[in-house]
Coordinates of all heavy atoms in Angstrom, one line a residue:
M1 N 110.1 253.1 -66.2 CA 109.2 253.0 -67.3 C 109.9 252.3 -68.5 O 111.0 252.6 -68.8 CB 108.7 254.4 -67.8 CG 107.7 254.4 -68.8 SD 106.0 254.1 -68.3 CE 105.5 255.7 -67.8
K2 N 109.2 251.3 -69.1 CA 109.7 250.6 -70.2 C 108.7 250.6 -71.4 O 107.5 250.7 -71.2 CB 110.0 249.1 -69.8 CG 111.0 248.9 -68.8 CD 112.4 249.0 -69.3 CE 113.4 248.7 -68.2 NZ 114.8 249.1 -68.6
K3 N 109.3 250.5 -72.5 CA 108.5 250.5 -73.7 C 108.4 249.0 -74.3 O 109.4 248.3 -74.2 CB 109.3 251.3 -74.8 CG 108.4 252.1 -75.7 CD 109.1 253.3 -76.3 CE 110.4 253.0 -77.0 NZ 111.0 254.2 -77.6
I4 N 107.2 248.7 -74.7 CA 107.0 247.3 -75.3 C 106.8 247.4 -76.8 O 106.0 248.2 -77.3 CB 105.8 246.7 -74.6 CG1 106.1 246.6 -73.1 CG2 105.6 245.3 -75.2 CD1 104.9 246.0 -72.3
R5 N 107.5 246.5 -77.4 CA 107.4 246.4 -78.9 C 107.3 245.0 -79.3 O 108.0 244.1 -78.7 CB 108.7 247.0 -79.5 CG 108.6 247.1 -81.0 CD 109.8 248.0 -81.5 NE 111.1 247.4 -81.1 CZ 111.7 246.5 -81.8 NH1 111.1 245.9 -82.9 NH2 112.9 246.0 -81.4
V6 N 106.4 244.7 -80.2 CA 106.3 243.3 -80.7 C 106.6 243.3 -82.2 O 106.0 244.1 -82.9 CB 104.9 242.7 -80.4 CG1 104.7 241.4 -81.1 CG2 104.6 242.6 -78.9
D7 N 107.5 242.5 -82.6 CA 107.7 242.3 -84.0 C 106.7 241.4 -84.6 O 106.8 240.1 -84.4 CB 109.2 241.8 -84.2 CG 109.6 241.8 -85.7 OD1 108.7 241.7 -86.5 OD2 110.8 241.9 -85.9
L8 N 105.8 241.9 -85.3 CA 104.7 241.1 -85.8 C 105.1 240.2 -86.9 O 104.4 239.3 -87.3 CB 103.5 242.0 -86.2 CG 102.8 242.7 -85.0 CD1 101.8 243.7 -85.5 CD2 102.2 241.7 -84.0
D9 N 106.3 240.4 -87.5 CA 106.8 239.5 -88.5 C 107.3 238.2 -87.8 O 107.4 237.2 -88.5 CB 108.0 240.2 -89.3 CG 107.4 241.3 -90.2 OD1 106.3 241.2 -90.6 OD2 108.2 242.2 -90.4
L10 N 107.6 238.3 -86.6 CA 108.1 237.1 -85.8 C 107.0 236.4 -85.1 O 107.1 235.2 -84.9 CB 109.2 237.6 -84.8 CG 110.5 238.1 -85.3 CD1 111.4 238.6 -84.2 CD2 111.2 237.1 -86.2
C11 N 106.0 237.1 -84.7 CA 104.9 236.5 -84.0 C 104.1 235.5 -84.9 O 103.7 235.9 -86.0 CB 103.9 237.6 -83.5 SG 102.4 236.9 -82.7
V12 N 104.0 234.3 -84.3 CA 103.2 233.3 -85.1 C 101.9 232.9 -84.3 O 101.2 232.0 -84.7 CB 104.0 232.1 -85.5 CG1 105.1 232.5 -86.4 CG2 104.6 231.4 -84.2
G13 N 101.7 233.5 -83.1 CA 100.5 233.3 -82.4 C 100.5 232.2 -81.3 O 99.6 231.5 -81.1
H14 N 101.7 232.1 -80.7 CA 101.8 231.1 -79.6 C 100.8 231.5 -78.5 O 100.3 230.6 -77.7 CB 103.2 231.0 -79.0 CG 104.1 230.3 -80.0 ND1 104.1 229.0 -80.1 CD2 105.1 230.8 -80.7 CE1 105.1 228.6 -81.0 NE2 105.7 229.7 -81.4
G15 N 100.6 232.7 -78.3 CA 99.6 233.2 -77.3 C 100.1 233.2 -75.8 O 99.3 233.5 -74.9
R16 N 101.4 232.9 -75.6 CA 101.8 232.9 -74.2 C 101.8 234.4 -73.7 O 101.6 234.5 -72.5 CB 103.2 232.4 -74.2 CG 103.2 230.9 -74.5 CD 104.6 230.2 -74.3 NE 104.6 228.9 -74.9 CZ 105.6 228.2 -75.0 NH1 106.8 228.6 -74.6 NH2 105.6 227.0 -75.5
C17 N 102.1 235.3 -74.5 CA 102.1 236.7 -74.0 C 100.8 237.1 -73.4 O 100.7 237.6 -72.2 CB 102.5 237.7 -75.1 SG 101.5 237.5 -76.6
Y18 N 99.7 236.9 -74.1 CA 98.4 237.3 -73.5 C 97.8 236.4 -72.5 O 96.9 236.7 -71.7 CB 97.4 237.7 -74.6 CG 97.2 236.7 -75.7 CD1 96.4 235.6 -75.6 CD2 97.8 237.0 -77.0 CE1 96.2 234.7 -76.7 CE2 97.6 236.1 -78.1 CZ 96.8 235.0 -77.9 OH 96.7 234.1 -78.9
E19 N 98.4 235.1 -72.4 CA 98.0 234.2 -71.3 C 98.7 234.7 -70.0 O 98.1 234.7 -69.0 CB 98.5 232.8 -71.6 CG 97.7 232.1 -72.7 CD 96.3 231.7 -72.2 OE1 96.2 231.5 -71.0 OE2 95.4 231.7 -73.1
L20 N 99.9 235.1 -70.2 CA 100.7 235.5 -69.0 C 100.4 236.9 -68.5 O 100.4 237.2 -67.3 CB 102.2 235.4 -69.3 CG 102.8 234.0 -69.3 CD1 104.2 234.1 -70.0 CD2 102.9 233.5 -67.9
A21 N 100.1 237.8 -69.5 CA 100.0 239.2 -69.2 C 98.8 239.8 -70.0 O 99.1 240.7 -70.8 CB 101.3 239.9 -69.5
P22 N 97.6 239.4 -69.6 CA 96.5 239.9 -70.4 C 96.2 241.4 -70.3 O 95.5 241.9 -71.1 CB 95.3 239.1 -69.9 CG 95.8 238.6 -68.5 CD 97.2 238.5 -68.6
E23 N 96.8 242.0 -69.3 CA 96.6 243.4 -69.2 C 97.4 244.2 -70.2 O 97.2 245.4 -70.5 CB 96.9 243.9 -67.8 CG 95.8 243.4 -66.8 CD 96.2 243.7 -65.4 OE1 97.2 244.4 -65.2 OE2 95.5 243.3 -64.5
I24 N 98.5 243.6 -70.6 CA 99.4 244.2 -71.5 C 99.3 243.8 -72.9 O 99.3 244.6 -73.9 CB 100.9 243.9 -71.0 CG1 101.1 244.4 -69.6 CG2 101.9 244.7 -72.0 CD1 102.4 244.0 -69.0
F25 N 99.0 242.5 -73.1 CA 98.9 242.0 -74.5 C 97.5 241.4 -74.7 O 96.9 240.8 -73.8 CB 99.9 240.8 -74.7 CG 101.3 241.2 -74.4 CD1 101.9 241.0 -73.2 CD2 102.1 241.9 -75.4 CE1 103.2 241.3 -72.9 CE2 103.4 242.3 -75.2 CZ 103.9 242.0 -73.9
G26 N 97.0 241.4 -75.9 CA 95.8 240.8 -76.3 C 96.0 240.1 -77.6 O 97.2 239.9 -78.1
E27 N 94.9 239.5 -78.2 CA 95.1 238.8 -79.4 C 94.2 239.4 -80.5 O 93.2 239.9 -80.2 CB 94.8 237.3 -79.2 CG 93.3 237.1 -78.8 CD 93.0 235.6 -78.6 OE1 93.3 234.8 -79.5 OE2 92.5 235.3 -77.5
D28 N 94.7 239.3 -81.7 CA 93.9 239.7 -82.8 C 93.1 238.6 -83.3 O 93.1 237.5 -82.7 CB 94.8 240.4 -83.9 CG 95.7 239.3 -84.7 OD1 95.5 238.1 -84.4 OD2 96.5 239.8 -85.5
E29 N 92.4 238.7 -84.4 CA 91.5 237.7 -84.9 C 92.2 236.4 -85.3 O 91.6 235.3 -85.4 CB 90.6 238.2 -86.0 CG 91.3 238.8 -87.2 CD 91.9 240.1 -87.0 OE1 91.6 240.8 -86.0 OE2 92.8 240.5 -87.8
R30 N 93.5 236.5 -85.5 CA 94.2 235.3 -85.9 C 95.0 234.7 -84.7 O 95.7 233.7 -84.8 CB 95.3 235.6 -87.0 CG 94.6 236.1 -88.3 CD 95.7 236.3 -89.3 NE 96.7 237.3 -88.8 CZ 97.9 237.4 -89.3 NH1 98.3 236.7 -90.3 NH2 98.7 238.4 -88.8
G31 N 94.8 235.2 -83.5 CA 95.5 234.8 -82.3 C 96.9 235.3 -82.2 O 97.7 234.9 -81.3
H32 N 97.2 236.3 -83.1 CA 98.5 236.9 -82.9 C 98.5 238.0 -81.9 O 97.4 238.5 -81.5 CB 99.0 237.4 -84.3 CG 99.3 236.4 -85.3 ND1 99.9 236.6 -86.5 CD2 99.1 235.0 -85.2 CE1 100.1 235.5 -87.1 NE2 99.6 234.5 -86.4
C33 N 99.6 238.4 -81.5 CA 99.7 239.4 -80.4 C 99.3 240.8 -80.9 O 99.6 241.3 -82.0 CB 101.2 239.5 -80.0 SG 101.4 240.6 -78.6
R34 N 98.6 241.4 -79.9 CA 98.2 242.8 -80.1 C 98.6 243.5 -78.8 O 98.2 243.1 -77.7 CB 96.7 242.9 -80.4 CG 96.2 244.3 -80.6 CD 94.8 244.3 -81.0 NE 94.6 244.1 -82.4 CZ 93.5 243.8 -83.1 NH1 92.4 243.7 -82.4 NH2 93.4 243.6 -84.4
V35 N 99.4 244.6 -78.9 CA 99.8 245.2 -77.6 C 98.8 246.2 -77.2 O 98.4 247.1 -77.9 CB 101.2 246.0 -77.9 CG1 101.7 246.6 -76.6 CG2 102.2 245.0 -78.5
H36 N 98.3 246.0 -75.9 CA 97.3 246.9 -75.4 C 98.0 248.1 -74.8 O 97.5 249.2 -74.9 CB 96.6 246.2 -74.2 CG 95.6 245.2 -74.6 ND1 94.8 245.3 -75.8 CD2 95.2 244.0 -74.0 CE1 94.0 244.3 -75.9 NE2 94.2 243.5 -74.8
R37 N 99.2 247.9 -74.2 CA 99.9 249.0 -73.5 C 101.3 249.0 -74.0 O 102.0 248.0 -73.8 CB 99.8 248.8 -72.0 CG 98.4 249.1 -71.5 CD 98.2 248.6 -70.1 NE 99.2 249.2 -69.2 CZ 99.6 248.7 -68.1 NH1 99.0 247.6 -67.6 NH2 100.5 249.3 -67.3
T38 N 101.7 250.1 -74.6 CA 103.1 250.1 -75.1 C 104.1 250.6 -74.1 O 105.3 250.6 -74.3 CB 103.1 251.1 -76.3 OG1 102.6 252.3 -76.0 CG2 102.3 250.5 -77.5
K39 N 103.6 251.2 -73.0 CA 104.5 251.6 -71.9 C 104.0 251.0 -70.6 O 102.8 251.0 -70.3 CB 104.5 253.1 -71.8 CG 105.1 253.7 -73.0 CD 105.4 255.2 -72.9 CE 106.1 255.7 -74.2 NZ 106.5 257.1 -74.1
V40 N 105.0 250.5 -69.8 CA 104.6 249.9 -68.5 C 105.6 250.4 -67.5 O 106.7 250.7 -67.8 CB 104.6 248.4 -68.6 CG1 103.5 247.8 -69.4 CG2 106.0 247.8 -69.1
D41 N 105.2 250.4 -66.2 CA 106.1 250.6 -65.1 C 105.7 249.7 -63.9 O 104.7 249.0 -64.0 CB 106.2 252.1 -64.8 CG 104.8 252.7 -64.4 OD1 103.9 251.9 -64.2 OD2 104.7 253.9 -64.3
G42 N 106.4 249.8 -62.8 CA 106.1 249.1 -61.6 C 106.1 247.6 -61.9 O 107.0 247.0 -62.6
E43 N 105.1 246.9 -61.3 CA 105.0 245.4 -61.4 C 104.9 244.9 -62.9 O 105.2 243.8 -63.2 CB 103.9 244.9 -60.6 CG 104.1 245.1 -59.1 CD 102.9 244.6 -58.3 OE1 101.9 244.2 -58.9 OE2 102.9 244.7 -57.1
D44 N 104.3 245.8 -63.7 CA 104.0 245.4 -65.0 C 105.3 245.2 -65.8 O 105.3 244.5 -66.9 CB 103.1 246.4 -65.7 CG 101.7 246.4 -65.1 OD1 101.3 245.3 -64.6 OD2 101.0 247.4 -65.3
V45 N 106.4 245.8 -65.4 CA 107.7 245.7 -66.1 C 108.1 244.2 -66.0 O 108.5 243.6 -67.0 CB 108.7 246.6 -65.5 CG1 110.1 246.3 -66.2 CG2 108.3 248.1 -65.8
A46 N 108.0 243.6 -64.8 CA 108.4 242.2 -64.6 C 107.5 241.3 -65.4 O 108.0 240.3 -66.0 CB 108.3 241.9 -63.1
L47 N 106.2 241.7 -65.5 CA 105.3 240.9 -66.3 C 105.6 240.9 -67.7 O 105.6 239.9 -68.5 CB 103.9 241.5 -66.0 CG 102.7 240.5 -66.1 CD1 102.9 239.3 -65.2 CD2 101.4 241.3 -65.7
A48 N 106.0 242.1 -68.2 CA 106.4 242.3 -69.6 C 107.6 241.5 -69.9 O 107.7 240.8 -71.0 CB 106.6 243.8 -69.9
F49 N 108.6 241.5 -69.0 CA 109.8 240.7 -69.2 C 109.5 239.2 -69.2 O 110.1 238.4 -70.0 CB 110.9 241.0 -68.2 CG 111.7 242.2 -68.5 CD1 111.7 243.3 -67.7 CD2 112.6 242.2 -69.6 CE1 112.5 244.4 -67.9 CE2 113.4 243.3 -69.9 CZ 113.3 244.4 -69.1
R50 N 108.6 238.8 -68.4 CA 108.2 237.4 -68.3 C 107.6 237.0 -69.6 O 107.8 235.9 -70.2 CB 107.2 237.2 -67.2 CG 107.2 235.8 -66.6 CD 106.6 235.8 -65.3 NE 105.9 234.5 -65.2 CZ 104.7 234.4 -64.7 NH1 104.0 235.4 -64.2 NH2 104.1 233.2 -64.6
A51 N 106.7 237.8 -70.1 CA 106.1 237.5 -71.4 C 107.1 237.4 -72.5 O 107.1 236.5 -73.4 CB 105.0 238.5 -71.8
A52 N 108.1 238.3 -72.5 CA 109.1 238.3 -73.5 C 110.0 237.1 -73.4 O 110.3 236.4 -74.5 CB 110.0 239.6 -73.4
D53 N 110.3 236.7 -72.2 CA 111.1 235.5 -72.0 C 110.4 234.2 -72.5 O 111.0 233.2 -72.8 CB 111.4 235.3 -70.5 CG 112.5 236.3 -70.1 OD1 113.1 236.9 -70.9 OD2 112.6 236.5 -68.8
N54 N 109.1 234.3 -72.4 CA 108.3 233.1 -72.7 C 107.8 233.0 -74.1 O 107.1 232.0 -74.5 CB 107.1 233.0 -71.7 CG 107.6 232.4 -70.4 OD1 107.7 231.2 -70.3 ND2 107.8 233.2 -69.4
C55 N 108.0 234.0 -74.9 CA 107.6 234.0 -76.3 C 108.7 233.1 -77.1 O 109.8 233.5 -77.2 CB 107.6 235.4 -76.9 SG 107.3 235.3 -78.7
P56 N 108.2 232.0 -77.6 CA 109.2 231.1 -78.3 C 109.8 231.7 -79.5 O 110.9 231.3 -80.0 CB 108.3 229.9 -78.7 CG 107.1 230.0 -77.8 CD 106.9 231.4 -77.6
E57 N 109.2 232.7 -80.1 CA 109.7 233.4 -81.3 C 110.6 234.6 -81.0 O 111.2 235.2 -81.9 CB 108.6 233.8 -82.2 CG 107.6 232.7 -82.5 CD 108.2 231.5 -83.2 OE1 109.2 231.7 -84.0 OE2 107.8 230.4 -82.9
G58 N 110.7 234.9 -79.7 CA 111.5 236.1 -79.4 C 110.9 237.4 -80.0 O 111.7 238.3 -80.4
A59 N 109.6 237.5 -80.1 CA 109.0 238.6 -80.8 C 108.8 239.8 -80.0 O 108.4 240.8 -80.5 CB 107.7 238.1 -81.4
I60 N 108.9 239.6 -78.6 CA 108.6 240.7 -77.7 C 109.8 241.4 -77.2 O 110.8 240.7 -76.8 CB 107.7 240.2 -76.5 CG1 106.4 239.5 -77.0 CG2 107.4 241.3 -75.6 CD1 105.7 238.8 -76.0
F61 N 109.9 242.7 -77.3 CA 111.0 243.4 -76.9 C 110.6 244.4 -75.8 O 109.7 245.2 -76.0 CB 111.7 244.2 -78.1 CG 112.1 243.2 -79.1 CD1 111.2 242.9 -80.2 CD2 113.4 242.7 -79.1 CE1 111.6 242.0 -81.2 CE2 113.8 241.8 -80.1 CZ 112.9 241.4 -81.1
V62 N 111.3 244.4 -74.7 CA 111.1 245.3 -73.6 C 112.3 246.3 -73.6 O 113.4 245.8 -73.3 CB 110.9 244.6 -72.3 CG1 110.5 245.7 -71.2 CG2 109.8 243.6 -72.3
E63 N 112.0 247.5 -73.9 CA 113.2 248.4 -74.1 C 113.1 249.6 -73.2 O 112.0 250.0 -72.7 CB 113.1 248.9 -75.6 CG 113.1 247.8 -76.6 CD 112.8 248.2 -78.0 OE1 112.0 249.2 -78.2 OE2 113.3 247.6 -78.9
A64 N 114.2 250.2 -73.0 CA 114.3 251.5 -72.2 C 113.4 252.5 -72.9 O 113.3 252.6 -74.1 CB 115.7 252.0 -72.2
D65 N 112.7 253.2 -72.1 CA 111.9 254.3 -72.6 C 112.7 255.6 -72.4 O 112.9 256.1 -71.3 CB 110.6 254.4 -71.8 CG 109.7 255.6 -72.3 OD1 110.0 256.1 -73.4 OD2 108.8 256.0 -71.6
D66 N 113.2 256.1 -73.6 CA 114.1 257.3 -73.5 C 113.3 258.6 -73.4 O 113.9 259.7 -73.4 CB 115.0 257.3 -74.7 CG 114.2 257.4 -76.0 OD1 113.0 257.6 -76.0 OD2 114.8 257.2 -77.1
G67 N 112.0 258.5 -73.3 CA 111.2 259.7 -73.1 C 111.0 260.5 -74.3 O 110.5 261.7 -74.2
S68 N 111.4 260.0 -75.5 CA 111.3 260.8 -76.7 C 109.8 260.9 -77.1 O 109.5 261.7 -78.0 CB 112.1 260.2 -77.8 OG 111.6 259.0 -78.2
G69 N 109.0 260.0 -76.6 CA 107.6 260.1 -77.0 C 107.3 259.3 -78.2 O 106.2 259.3 -78.7
E70 N 108.3 258.7 -78.8 CA 108.1 257.9 -80.1 C 107.6 256.5 -79.7 O 107.9 256.0 -78.7 CB 109.4 257.8 -80.9 CG 109.8 259.2 -81.5 CD 111.1 259.0 -82.2 OE1 111.5 257.9 -82.4 OE2 111.7 260.1 -82.6
G71 N 106.9 255.9 -80.7 CA 106.4 254.6 -80.5 C 105.2 254.6 -79.6 O 104.9 253.7 -78.9
Ligands
F3S101 FE1 103.2 236.0 -80.7 FE2 105.0 235.3 -79.0 FE3 102.7 236.2 -78.1 S1 104.5 234.3 -80.9 S2 101.2 235.6 -79.6 S3 104.2 237.3 -79.3 S4 103.9 234.6 -77.2

């Protein structure tokens, strides 16, 4: 299980995240990223990493889920 975080100060709306992984990311009214799912597992982890790798701003972070329930 991984936790997904998007730094909205870095996101400028390239839209690659929600093009690549529409089940995890969506867009707000300005085309900026909106996270649909903050926790992923299985195949969705690879998808989340792919989206993170493809964000030109490096705004997407896929982090260990320490189970604390925060975020
Ligand atoms: Fe924003 Fe990066 Fe997605 S700039 S819209 S988080 S690809």
